[in-house]
Amino acid sequence: MSELVGRDAELASLVSAVDRTAGGSGRMVLLRGEAGIGKSRLAAELVETAAARQFTVLTGRAHPLHTGLAYAPIVEALRPVIDTLAGQEISQLPDLRRLIPHPRLPETAPLDDPELERTRMFEAAAQLVRFTARRGSVLLFIDDLHWADRGTVELLHYIGREAPEQRLMILATYRAGEAEGSLRELAMAVRRADQADEISLTPLTDSAVARLTAAVLGEQPQPRLLKNVTARARGVPLFVTALVHSGHLRADRLPVIVRDVVVSRLHRLDDDHRRLLEIIAVAGPSCSDQVLGHICDQDTLDGLRDLIRDGLVDDVAGQPPHYRVAHPLYAEVAYAELTGGERRTLHAKVATAIEKIGPDDVLALAPHYRAAGNLLDPTRTAEVLAAAGNRALGVGSGAEAVEYLRAAIDAMPEGRATIPLLSGLARAYSGLGDLDAAARTVTDGIAAAKRFDDDSWQRMFEYRLALLNSERGIVPDVGEKVIDLSHPSDDVAESAFVNVVTGLRHGTIADAQRHADQMVEFAATHPGETARAVGHYGQALHAMIDRDFALATSEIEECKALMADSPTSMVAGGMSRWLFMLSILAGDLRGAVEQISVRDAMKRLRLDVPSSHASTAERLAMAHYLTGDLDAALDESSHGLEYARNAKISRSLARGTRIRAILLAERGETESPMDTTLTEPSIVVYNELLDAVVAFQFDRDDMGLPVVPDPLLLFNDPLATCLRVVFAGYPSREKAAEAGKWLREIGRTAPFADALADLMDGVAYADHQLLTTAIERLTAMEMHFLAAQAQLWFARIAPAPRAQEAVKNCLATFERAGAARWLDRARQVARTLGVRAPTGRKTGELTKREAQIARLVADGLPNREIAARLFLSERTVETHLRNIYARLELPSRLALVRWATEKL
């Protein structure tokens, strides 16, 4: 039998009733709930419990095909008992054969009074149960009582009247909304006797759905799968199980068992009620009283109260108030049962109704205009769909934007108006990581712009094609003709941005200088905020080339502020990425992370520069690395690599696999990065950093890497370049001195580089005062991993008491980080200082954080809730779980639950 999930309270109540029954105080209990809610599964658990406690279990089941077969469930339940009766008991049941044809029972003479025959039959059945209860406790279980005939319900009620005086528990299940006549009266009688004896099963919580999904799969579900199942099943266990087993990610395909359950319920509605339910399913969130009033006549609307009473429709007191089909799968099936023509007609009616109420409500109108096909005015259709697509672009929703913009282009007569829609569609494809589709759409845009002699749009599409080609690893021409600022347009800032990005990836410092001059000159000869923003951008490039990072920060912030309100500008997001690096150089790690946290500017940037999604994850990985949280760093790195693989962005894969290899090297592990022929500086710098880290961590002397890097590397990635210089400086005092000299020059306006210069000079000259300064500065910057490295060098040369304290601190940091090679070095120093060092984490031991997560897993919390409770990201929780599984050698989440229950 499958695991029972999320019904602890209900099961406890039922088991308590079993205990009271065994003590001589029986009762009748009803389990009430919608189809698939788990009534039979919970009852089965109780049947198993009662049988284990030596109850005689009598089971009968009603069936929809047996509704005309009188007393069938009772006969099924009681027939097996007859063979257990003594002869004397059989003789006391002269009327039982009216109910149960059985050879042991005496023949029954017919009476002239049908009511008397019925009464005697009922009493004989009750007497049979009494005989059984005298020998021991009895559980009489009737499943699906809503399908039983009237006689079965009345006989069950008759037998149950004496339950409180016997060791008899009667348990019956029935569906909410399907209790009529005698069943309704029985339920009312049970509630009057004790409200606790009718248990209503409600949908499972999200955490219980997660546990059930994991139980069905035999492993922890992926977040996307779990989100889909949770949203569609809405806590109904049967639906959860069916969706997980078959096609749970296909919104257009439902498991047969789900469809059958829902269709069975819908077919019991009369025509008016079903028509109203279909309208509500089609209207969705727009189904207000006003919309219904424009579509339905009063007779149809009168059925709304019945649908709400029967639990098929919810009256949602939101803003605005509206109606919805109570369960999403009921809405899916009701919609799927309509013909294509019926759907289009209803969508057209809903769209027409919304137009009368709120013609500017694009969110409400767009789905219905799209689904109505050609039943509505094509010009208005294109207008609404284009507005919806542009809105989706504005909030960074690429999939929705593609859907609506493609529909708008299809609906719109070919003309100049399609050009901006092609631009939006290309950006939407970029945001989704489908770079080939984006490039094809941009090419279509170039053709359309040429057809209508629109030079401005043609140039913009050509800029975007250059950027897309760069994203796809196709090296563009970075000469003067890539971007021509001599013809200003509304998108001149974006043009300049593309120019700089492609130039930095594939050009030289001289190219960057030329682009900067061009932008400053443009600002001087053109009015307006956009021109000023371009000018500040150019000045920032000059400042970066001159290594005046404070001035560069100021100029970038000016540019970003001027472009912040541009709804389609990629510049604001691009400036946030610049400010991440500049904040790192300023020693402001928190400010750096804040710059690239998910926000509108970054979402817009991902629409134009898809690799920014991966590079944002890479930057976050490096931020976690600086703090010493290598687990979180690897998690972010994996996230970026996953996106890059799906989008097939070779440059991001090349860079991302090198960052991952660096992080693993810090943990004492080796992994080869992806082979690449790409030579852009952002890949070269991480390749050189990886070489330096591996050479140092694994004591190799074949690196041959010069300490001072190519100037273009600093321009592209100051953080990686500074770290590269530090690791190139670690192997010897001479190299450390050279690294310190270079970093000190950079540190004129970059406190981070200056603090690293203190570290390098402290290593080069064995100066514990410089190392103390480096420790203090890096700790204040929250760069604890680098501070721990400084503490290790300090412990080697400082006086004993201070050295002992320093080595203890760096031991703790390296232990938390799992930085195996650093930890080995720290242990060696600790031994020389007489400090007891940890011997390393043994298999089976968990860190404090891992133990917290294991306990919460055992409590049934999904990753999302664990992350919220511990103030972590879901990806970080997943990383910790992977480590826990590996350390404890456990195969699945269920195994972890069992382990944590026993050990924690």
Side-chain angles (χ1 to χ4, degrees), residues 72-153:
I74 298 289
V75 172
E76 180 187 355
L78 298 186
R79 186 191 297 273
V81 181
I82 296 174
D83 289 327
T84 69
L85 297 178
Q88 184 180 2
E89 291 171 327
I90 288 288
S91 65
Q92 298 178 50
L93 301 172
D95 295 290
L96 189 59
R97 192 156 186 162
R98 301 182 193 279
L99 178 67
I100 308 173
H102 194 285
R104 291 198 67 198
L105 294 174
E107 292 291 340
T108 304
L111 302 175
D112 293 334
D113 187 343
E115 285 299 318
L116 181 58
E117 286 183 356
R118 185 171 181 270
T119 301
R120 287 185 176 181
M121 181 181 71
F122 275 27
E123 180 56 29
Q127 183 63 38
L128 174 62
V129 174
R130 288 188 206 109
F131 288 154
T132 309
R134 286 171 188 168
R135 294 197 295 270
S137 301
V138 175
L139 173 63
L140 172 57
F141 168 47
I142 304 297
D143 202 9
D144 290 330
L145 196 58
H146 51 277
W147 279 326
D149 62 290
R150 177 185 180 90
T152 293
V153 176

Side-chain angles (χ1 to χ4, degrees), residues 318-566:
Q319 286 298 328
H322 62 281
Y323 303 101
R324 70 179 178 204
V325 179
H327 196 289
L329 291 181
Y330 277 66
E332 283 187 40
V333 173
Y335 190 84
E337 288 287 291
L338 295 168
T339 67
E342 288 172 328
R343 291 178 204 162
R344 288 189 292 274
T345 298
L346 284 179
H347 278 295
K349 288 182 178 180
V350 172
T352 302
I354 296 172
E355 284 279 14
K356 295 175 181 177
I357 301 163
D360 297 326
D361 192 348
V362 172
L363 277 176
L365 286 168
H368 301 293
Y369 267 97
R370 187 184 71 247
N374 59 1
L375 297 183
L376 296 170
D377 176 62
T379 301
R380 177 59 176 160
T381 297
E383 179 184 332
V384 169
L385 296 179
N390 288 326
R391 178 197 169 277
L393 275 179
V395 298
S397 179
E400 184 180 340
V402 165
E403 182 179 0
Y404 283 118
L405 289 172
R406 287 182 63 180
I409 291 169
D410 291 342
M412 182 178 291
E414 185 175 356
R416 187 183 298 271
T418 62
I419 295 177
L421 296 182
L422 288 168
S423 173
L425 182 58
R427 298 180 69 230
Y429 278 128
S430 291
L432 291 175
D434 191 344
L435 306 194
D436 292 339
R440 288 194 299 271
T441 306
V442 166
T443 302
D444 290 342
I446 292 172
K450 287 180 178 178
R451 194 159 54 249
F452 294 102
D453 296 323
D454 194 322
D455 293 340
S456 178
W457 270 113
Q458 182 180 338
R459 285 194 304 274
M460 179 47 58
F461 279 124
E462 288 170 349
Y463 303 155
R464 291 182 185 275
L465 187 58
L467 184 56
L468 280 168
N469 285 339
S470 176
E471 291 283 278
R472 296 190 295 166
I474 302 171
V475 179
D477 176 10
V478 294
E480 291 285 356
K481 295 182 179 179
V482 174
I483 302 299
D484 183 1
L485 292 179
S486 62
H487 299 285
S489 69
D490 292 338
D491 295 311
V492 67
E494 283 85 344
S495 305
F497 179 78
V498 171
N499 195 29
V500 172
V501 169
T502 55
L504 290 179
R505 288 178 182 176
H506 311 289
T508 64
I509 285 287
D511 292 322
Q513 180 74 56
R514 186 177 68 254
H515 298 329
D517 290 340
Q518 192 180 39
M519 287 187 279
V520 172
E521 180 182 351
F522 177 82
T525 56
H526 293 84
E529 287 190 349
T530 299
R532 287 168 52 205
V534 170
H536 285 297
Y537 196 179
Q539 295 289 7
L541 293 179
H542 278 307
M544 286 288 292
I545 293 169
D546 296 339
R547 299 180 180 178
D548 188 343
F549 303 111
L551 176 59
T553 300
S554 175
E555 294 290 347
I556 290 291
E557 286 175 341
E558 290 284 352
C559 176
K560 182 179 177 181
L562 287 167
M563 299 305 298
D565 295 331
S566 177

Side-chain angles (χ1 to χ4, degrees), residues 43 88 143 190 289 386 439 805 900:
Q88 184 180 2
D143 202 9
V190 169
D289 284 310
E805 179 184 359

Side-chain angles (χ1 to χ4, degrees), residues 9 126 136 151 155 265-266 275 460 474 494 533 615 619 697 715 744 747 749 814 827 830 847 851 893:
L155 176 52
R265 183 73 178 92
L266 296 181
R275 187 62 171 170
M460 179 47 58
I474 302 171
E494 283 85 344
S615 63
R619 283 166 171 75
Q697 294 292 23
F715 197 78
R744 193 72 70 188
T749 57
F814 296 147
R827 288 194 190 108
T847 65
R893 195 180 187 94

